[in-house]
Amino acid sequence: AAWAGPLPTLSSVEDKLDKVFLPYLSEDVLGSINPAGCLDSILYESTSELLKVKEERDYLCAFIAFQANKDSYSGVGFYQGATEADMRFVCFKQSVDEVNEVNSQNLGWVAGINFFSDMTPYDRSWYTGFGYYYNKEALPRNCVDPLPEETYVEFEDGTRGLGFGK
């Protein structure tokens, strides 16, 4: 089941749940959480809480909180349905894993979940240097397909990273 009809700046449990669409997951995973218990933004804003995200149900609960606390004018805004939520859930899970990986290295700064966390490479390109990438249309519109090879550059130290293309 999915909830529909998102409204801006609402705070009651029902109003927050109205903004949430569930991804296509097994009934076991969907039945393992109570969406009303997954609305607190601390689930994705707190680095200590984010480190507890290990199983599919944990990702789902954090994803529900992320959607429930979104506003319509930030990032990709509200989702249009379960199909979009399913695609963005993959992006969100990748972001959670990246944040936890960075934070486990104790680099002197803290990564966090933000409005980029459910975006595809194509979506992010409108906010980052990829907005000037010469072949923006080649960027994936999901978080499963790899980035095109030409988006990577070789740095002087021999490492590779994302660049503006040639």
Side-chain angles (χ1 to χ4, degrees), residues 3 13-14 16-17 20 33-40 43 61 64 68:
W3 294 274
V13 170
E14 294 80 17
K16 283 189 171 196
L17 288 174
V20 174
I33 57 112
N34 172 7
C38 296
L39 299 178
D40 193 337
L43 294 171
C61 197
I64 289 170

Side-chain angles (χ1 to χ4, degrees), residues 65-79:
F66 182 76
Q67 285 185 73
N69 291 287
K70 284 179 97 114
D71 52 53
S72 63
Y73 52 85
S74 181
V76 294
F78 300 133
Y79 305 154

Side-chain angles (χ1 to χ4, degrees), residues 30-138:
L30 292 173
S32 71
I33 57 112
N34 172 7
C38 296
L39 299 178
D40 193 337
S41 63
I42 194 99
L43 294 171
Y44 63 88
E45 288 178 341
S46 162
T47 54
S48 60
E49 288 299 311
L50 208 55
L51 285 169
K52 296 176 185 176
V53 174
K54 305 269 189 228
E55 298 178 18
E56 197 75 354
R57 66 181 305 277
D58 304 324
Y59 287 100
L60 178 59
C61 197
F63 185 62
I64 289 170
F66 182 76
Q67 285 185 73
N69 291 287
K70 284 179 97 114
D71 52 53
S72 63
Y73 52 85
S74 181
V76 294
F78 300 133
Y79 305 154
Q80 298 301 307
T83 300
E84 182 179 7
D86 195 57
M87 182 268 296
R88 298 208 179 274
F89 182 56
V90 174
C91 302
F92 182 80
K93 286 173 44 177
Q94 289 174 0
S95 293
V96 168
D97 291 344
E98 289 170 11
V99 165
N100 284 338
E101 172 64 26
V102 167
N103 291 338
S104 71
Q105 297 175 40
N106 299 313
L107 298 172
W109 55 277
V110 178
I113 296 298
N114 58 39
F115 77 96
F116 289 110
S117 298
D118 62 346
M119 290 185 184
T120 67
Y122 180 81
D123 296 330
R124 284 190 304 270
S125 74
W126 293 98
Y127 295 89
T128 65
F130 280 135
Y132 302 103
Y133 178 65
Y134 80 101
N135 192 8
K136 178 188 286 216
E137 294 303 315

